[in-house]
Amino acid sequence: MYYNGMSFSRKTMNEETISLEKTLQREINLAKNIQSKLLNASTPTFEKGEVIGSSVPARLIGGDYYDFYPLVNGKIRIVIGDVMGKGIPAAMLMILTRGAFRTAAESKSSPGETLSSMNQALFTDLRTLKSFVTLFCADWDPESNELTYANAGHNMPLFINGETGEVSEIPKVSGIMVGGLKDQSYEEKSVRLKDKDSVFFYTDGIIEAQNNEGKQFKLDRLKEVLRNQYTNEIEEIEKGVLASIESFTEGAPQKDDITMVVLKVSYEKSDITSLNSPVINV
């Protein structure tokens, strides 16, 4: 075989192709490791609660995102998000999203302000790439026992009553996805949590997980799993949800990343001797 007066054997070309494929695979694995370390950084400890997160990408690397940021006032800021797209492009946008969140969390006093700042920082890049990110941001305040939150086009988290196991969406708050429109303000709401209550944050890869027959996991099934897990510690809740998805899908390839964050309130180490019932501040 000749090209521009040079001779190449098919064997040489095959060897170069194999070498290129191996290099690409190494780089993808490196990107996977980097993303895994960023997503699985040390989990913060804080008063009156625990938090845990996990993410299972549909491909080697994904575009889902969650993060925790301890604030100087004793609050913990939680964020979960879903970048439009899959694979390496979505993973790159996820890294940008993480940077924007960390920067905003340092300087902004509330979840709504954090989302506004992130939208301002990411808008131009997301528009250029014709992409967007859905995000849900919340602050847990152990002093007031309140979870204050804002939403940018994401699924509303689920509230798990620590006494009855009843599962329901927390009061809805709307907001446009990050990258959708410039100069956005995001409404905030609060829910007061009592001892043993939990909040389950998730991406739509959970409820849209499919089995081999094309049936979806769906929200009702997720609620039932959480009802059955409500007395468990957060690690067991996380494992229970993942096990239920795995059992339902029976190894079927998934089209979307599966990501969750569990916040569970615990007053056991506090000096509080009497607790009030949950109060929703709308």
Side-chain angles (χ1 to χ4, degrees), residues 158-161 165-169 222-224 226-227:
L158 299 173
F159 167 75
I160 310 165
N161 188 299
E166 180 183 357
V167 180
S168 59
E169 283 190 354
L222 174 60
K223 288 181 177 180
E224 181 62 26
L226 294 175
R227 275 192 291 270

Side-chain angles (χ1 to χ4, degrees), residues 10-239:
R10 291 188 181 275
K11 180 179 179 181
T12 299
M13 294 183 66
N14 288 337
E15 288 174 349
E16 290 179 350
T17 300
I18 292 172
S19 177
L20 181 61
E21 289 176 349
K22 289 182 178 179
T23 299
L24 179 59
Q25 188 62 49
R26 283 196 299 269
E27 291 179 353
I28 291 174
N29 288 334
L30 178 60
K32 178 184 178 181
N33 291 335
I34 291 172
Q35 185 180 58
S36 177
K37 288 180 180 179
L38 292 178
L39 282 176
N40 296 293
S42 58
T43 302
T45 58
F46 49 94
E47 293 184 11
K48 297 183 184 177
E50 294 179 285
V51 70
I52 194 172
S54 63
S55 185
V56 181
R59 301 182 183 179
L60 280 176
I61 51 179
D64 278 6
Y65 168 62
Y66 71 87
D67 205 355
F68 314 120
Y69 196 90
L71 304 176
V72 293
N73 55 12
K75 297 179 183 179
I76 177 75
R77 184 159 294 167
I78 302 167
V79 69
I80 188 169
D82 187 354
V83 177
M84 186 186 77
K86 305 290 182 295
I88 294 175
M92 293 175 67
L93 288 174
M94 187 276 276
I95 298 300
L96 289 177
T97 302
R98 182 182 187 273
F101 170 70
R102 289 295 178 106
T103 299
E106 286 185 0
S107 58
K108 302 303 178 182
S109 62
S110 70
E113 290 182 1
T114 297
L115 291 181
S116 294
S117 178
M118 293 178 71
N119 185 66
Q120 191 75 10
L122 295 170
F123 180 81
T124 301
D125 287 341
L126 290 172
R127 287 300 84 209
T128 298
L129 298 171
K130 298 181 180 180
S131 186
F132 60 85
V133 184
T134 68
L135 289 164
F136 190 93
C137 185
D139 284 1
W140 164 242
D141 185 349
E143 287 296 319
S144 66
N145 307 327
E146 286 186 331
L147 186 76
T148 302
Y149 54 90
N151 188 22
H154 198 74
N155 302 308
M156 294 300 299
L158 299 173
F159 167 75
I160 310 165
N161 188 299
E163 293 181 350
T164 66
E166 180 183 357
V167 180
S168 59
E169 283 190 354
I170 64 175
K172 187 175 183 179
V173 60
S174 59
I176 194 167
M177 64 196 71
V178 168
L181 291 173
K182 199 171 184 179
D183 300 323
Q184 288 297 293
S185 296
Y186 291 90
E187 179 188 4
E188 295 179 355
K189 288 186 179 179
S190 296
V191 55
R192 186 171 296 161
L193 304 176
K194 66 180 187 301
D195 192 27
K196 305 304 181 184
D197 285 345
S198 301
V199 179
F200 185 84
F201 308 75
Y202 66 100
T203 61
D204 56 15
I206 291 182
I207 58 176
E208 294 177 2
Q210 294 186 359
N211 61 17
N212 289 304
E213 297 176 356
K215 295 181 180 179
Q216 293 187 339
F217 193 75
K218 293 190 176 180
L219 183 59
D220 286 343
R221 184 175 280 104
L222 174 60
K223 288 181 177 180
E224 181 62 26
V225 172
L226 294 175
R227 275 192 291 270
N228 293 333
Q229 296 282 334
Y230 83 98
T231 60
N232 291 340
E233 299 300 321
I234 55 173
E235 294 86 356
E236 295 304 315
I237 295 174
E238 176 194 55
K239 290 177 182 178

